[in-house]
Amino acid sequence: MAALSRGAGAASLLALLCVGVCSAVCVKVPSETEAVQGSHMKLLCISCMKREEVSATTLVEWYYKADGGKDVPIYEYRNEQRELESRFSGRLQWNGSKDMQDVSISVLNITLNDSGIYTCNVTREFDYEIHRPVFTSTTLIRLTVVEAAGEDLTSVISEIMMYILLVFLTLWLLIEMIYCYRKVAKAEEAAQENATDYLAIPSENKENCAVPVEE
């Protein structure tokens, strides 16, 4: 989960940079769907606007529904941020952007009972001269809260590949050592054989074996 969380966090950061810094560019990124008990969880909701749609009045409504329950309003943005009376009172925080393309909220000190479905409704009324069209969008986030973070498949595969690489390097080094040892041993054996053959030659023949020196 750690690697996936880091990946999703990086994607979220990229989205925020695109929304916050490059106002003409907006990237919709899905929210994370798993949180660890006691942590802060950002519920990501992005509703992109085109350049010509920047002038608009935006209403944001957040709802929470437990398994088998009904939607309960927990937060809204209507000209200003407002936390509604709910079981989340005191634990919700606005985490959106000034241009209202990112309308995310964060749940602080999340608990196991916070698992469920979070709904983000965005309603925009565009301020055109001739008409005032209304655009609506809905984002559903099914959140699961766990007691502790577990290793995800990506990190497990990375560890396995690391161990395989270590084993491969160890075997390669062992093979190289054996090869070098045998090569040195053969060289010493050949040198000993040459020395033995030289000692076995009679002394008179050794003189004949001398290389003549030209004057």
Side-chain angles (χ1 to χ4, degrees):
M1 175 185 153
L4 289 180
S5 297
R6 288 193 297 269
S12 300
L13 179 59
L14 176 61
L16 292 178
L17 288 175
C18 290
V19 172
V21 179
C22 308
S23 58
V25 180
C26 178
V27 180
K28 290 187 177 181
V29 180
S31 177
E32 294 184 46
T33 58
E34 186 172 297
V36 179
Q37 181 181 13
S39 65
H40 296 349
M41 176 65 186
K42 180 176 181 178
L43 302 174
L44 191 63
C45 181
I46 295 177
S47 179
C48 296
M49 290 189 293
K50 299 178 182 178
R51 184 186 298 273
E52 64 272 13
E53 297 175 339
V54 172
S55 179
T57 301
T58 303
L59 168 65
V60 182
E61 299 170 303
W62 277 93
Y63 296 86
Y64 167 76
K65 182 173 71 173
D67 292 338
K70 62 179 182 179
D71 285 324
V72 177
I74 59 175
Y75 203 95
E76 74 172 16
Y77 188 103
R78 190 191 303 265
N79 298 323
E80 63 179 4
Q81 310 158 16
R82 189 162 71 96
E83 185 180 18
L84 304 178
E85 189 67 28
S86 69
R87 56 188 299 272
F88 294 93
S89 296
R91 294 194 296 125
L92 298 179
Q93 186 177 77
W94 178 256
N95 213 331
S97 59
K98 292 183 179 180
D99 60 7
M100 298 301 291
Q101 298 201 75
D102 181 357
V103 293
S104 307
I105 62 173
S106 291
V107 182
L108 309 180
N109 192 24
I110 202 163
T111 67
L112 295 175
N113 293 329
D114 294 336
S115 296
I117 300 176
Y118 294 81
T119 303
C120 172
N121 289 334
V122 180
T123 304
R124 297 192 197 279
E125 184 178 0
F126 296 102
D127 302 328
Y128 295 135
E129 293 182 0
I130 301 176
H131 62 296
R132 300 175 67 88
V134 176
F135 167 81
T136 60
S137 67
T138 299
T139 301
L140 297 179
I141 303 171
R142 182 178 291 275
L143 182 67
T144 301
V145 182
V146 296
E147 293 184 358
E151 286 189 315
D152 62 276
L153 182 60
T154 304
S155 61
V156 172
I157 292 177
S158 299
E159 291 182 4
I160 292 175
M161 293 301 295
M162 181 185 66
Y163 288 127
I164 292 176
L165 180 61
L166 289 175
V167 171
F168 172 78
L169 291 176
T170 302
L171 291 176
W172 177 79
L173 181 60
L174 181 61
I175 292 173
E176 284 292 319
M177 291 177 62
I178 293 175
Y179 172 77
C180 293
Y181 173 77
R182 288 183 176 180
K183 189 174 182 179
V184 172
K186 286 183 179 180
E188 292 180 351
E189 183 179 351
Q192 290 179 359
E193 288 179 356
N194 292 336
T196 302
D197 293 341
Y198 179 79
L199 293 175
I201 298 176
S203 58
E204 61 273 9
N205 291 337
K206 292 179 180 179
E207 296 177 358
N208 297 330
C209 291
V211 179
V213 179
E214 296 182 0
E215 297 180 357

